Amino acid sequence: MELTRPRDSVAMLLAVLVVSAAVVRSDGALCDKSDKAALLAVKSALGNPPALSGWNSTVACCSWEGISCNATTGRVTELTVFALNISAPVPDAIANLTALQTVNFAYNRLYGSIPAFLGPHALPDLTFLRLDGNRVTGTIPPTATVFALSLVGNRLTGPLPATFGSANFGDVDLTDNQLTGDASMLFGAKKQLNALHLSRNRFKFDLGRVELPEAMDILEIDHNLVYGSIPAAAAARKWLAFDVSYNQLCGPIPQGRYTHRFGAKHFAGNKCLCDRPLPPCKS
């Protein structure tokens, strides 16, 4: 057997070092420079919290906690700052992260209004926005037409923007705010909406006049001012969640296997709903 000569060993070592160096340079290159600058500006606007100490100029931003990037371009596609108890407005520098698909700032103490740039108009790839569990105020901007929108547990007021009527939503959760007015624009037989959570607001519209989206299997609109009747089409749906309690609804509950499974508490507190699982309607 021929032994490896020292010269060969040195050559192999140099080759390994060259490859290693190339990998390091490649990892660094995967972090878009403008996105890295924007993220550092976001960190600064949030008060440089200790939990984001790993966000620093010496490390490629694609390896930072809460950050994901496109493997080819190095552009930042996900920004998650979850449950860090941060008190600050939504940072303006997010608008410079133009390849974002996901923004998740849930369960902090963000305050102020929701910026207009948080939507596909300014961030064309944005499909997922979570600001739930914060302290944001004011109205929802008309640009917030992302596919999955969660604004639960804030201090939002006023009606829904008219743009929501033509938006392509899949999941909308506006629970626990102070929103008012007509939310019937979110319904429609041909819409892709599969989950709608409007609980504990002040929405007021005629539920009997809406068409349930074909994909909808979650409807939670309890504790509002919704009136009319429950659409007959509700009887045939395979509901994963259904709650219309504490509104102003009337008339017989459509009788279906999946409307019964949730029990009386999901229909209670209305003006004159009747039939199973509530007492029978009076003839």
Side-chain angles (χ1 to χ4, degrees):
M1 180 183 296
E2 183 179 355
L3 297 177
T4 303
R5 295 177 302 215
R7 183 180 301 173
D8 294 337
S9 299
V10 171
M12 291 174 61
L13 178 60
L14 287 174
V16 169
L17 291 175
V18 168
V19 170
S20 299
V23 170
V24 171
R25 287 197 298 269
S26 175
D27 288 346
L30 280 178
C31 182
D32 183 86
K33 291 182 179 179
S34 61
D35 282 1
K36 186 172 188 177
L39 288 171
L40 291 173
V42 168
K43 176 186 174 184
S44 177
L46 295 174
N48 293 308
L52 299 183
S53 60
W55 291 22
N56 62 74
S57 58
T58 64
V59 181
C61 67
C62 297
S63 64
W64 294 354
E65 183 72 24
I67 304 301
S68 295
C69 298
N70 181 289
T72 302
T73 65
R75 297 298 309 277
V76 173
T77 57
E78 177 184 347
L79 170 59
T80 295
V81 180
F82 181 81
L84 297 183
N85 202 33
I86 293 171
S87 180
V90 177
D92 291 338
I94 295 174
N96 296 323
L97 298 166
T98 55
L100 277 174
Q101 299 172 12
T102 295
V103 173
N104 184 355
F105 275 81
Y107 300 106
N108 285 286
R109 291 186 294 154
L110 300 184
Y111 57 84
S113 59
I114 299 175
F117 61 74
L118 285 180
H121 178 71
L123 303 175
D125 297 326
L126 189 65
T127 57
F128 182 93
L129 174 60
R130 283 193 67 182
L131 293 176
D132 39 309
N134 282 284
R135 301 176 180 179
V136 294
T137 56
T139 58
I140 300 174
T143 51
T145 53
V146 297
F147 187 76
L149 176 66
S150 182
L151 304 175
V152 180
N154 281 285
R155 301 171 182 177
L156 297 166
T157 57
L160 298 182
T163 53
F164 276 26
S166 57
N168 181 29
F169 288 120
D171 189 325
V172 174
D173 197 339
L174 306 177
T175 301
D176 276 325
N177 281 284
Q178 301 164 38
L179 297 164
T180 58
D182 187 1
S184 64
M185 67 181 74
L186 296 172
F187 294 84
K190 299 303 180 182
K191 294 192 175 184
Q192 297 185 47
L193 185 65
N194 75 282
L196 180 60
H197 312 263
L198 302 178
S199 305
R200 292 181 290 281
N201 281 284
R202 302 287 290 175
F203 289 118
K204 188 174 184 178
F205 60 93
D206 186 346
L207 184 62
R209 297 178 65 88
V210 307
E211 291 184 300
L212 298 175
E214 293 179 0
M216 180 174 282
D217 54 17
I218 295 174
L219 178 62
E220 295 179 319
I221 58 172
D222 55 284
H223 294 84
N224 280 283
L225 302 170
V226 181
Y227 58 94
S229 59
I230 300 174
R237 294 299 175 91
K238 296 181 178 180
W239 296 105
L240 299 178
F242 188 87
D243 195 339
V244 296
S245 62
Y246 296 95
N247 281 289
Q248 299 177 357
L249 296 168
C250 263
I253 297 170
Q255 297 300 295
R257 173 184 174 187
Y258 290 89
T259 53
H260 295 160
R261 65 182 293 187
F262 299 106
K265 68 179 182 178
H266 292 263
F267 302 90
N270 277 285
K271 188 175 180 180
C272 50
L273 278 182
C274 56
D275 267 353
R276 185 182 173 194
L278 296 180
C281 296
K282 296 178 181 180
S283 55

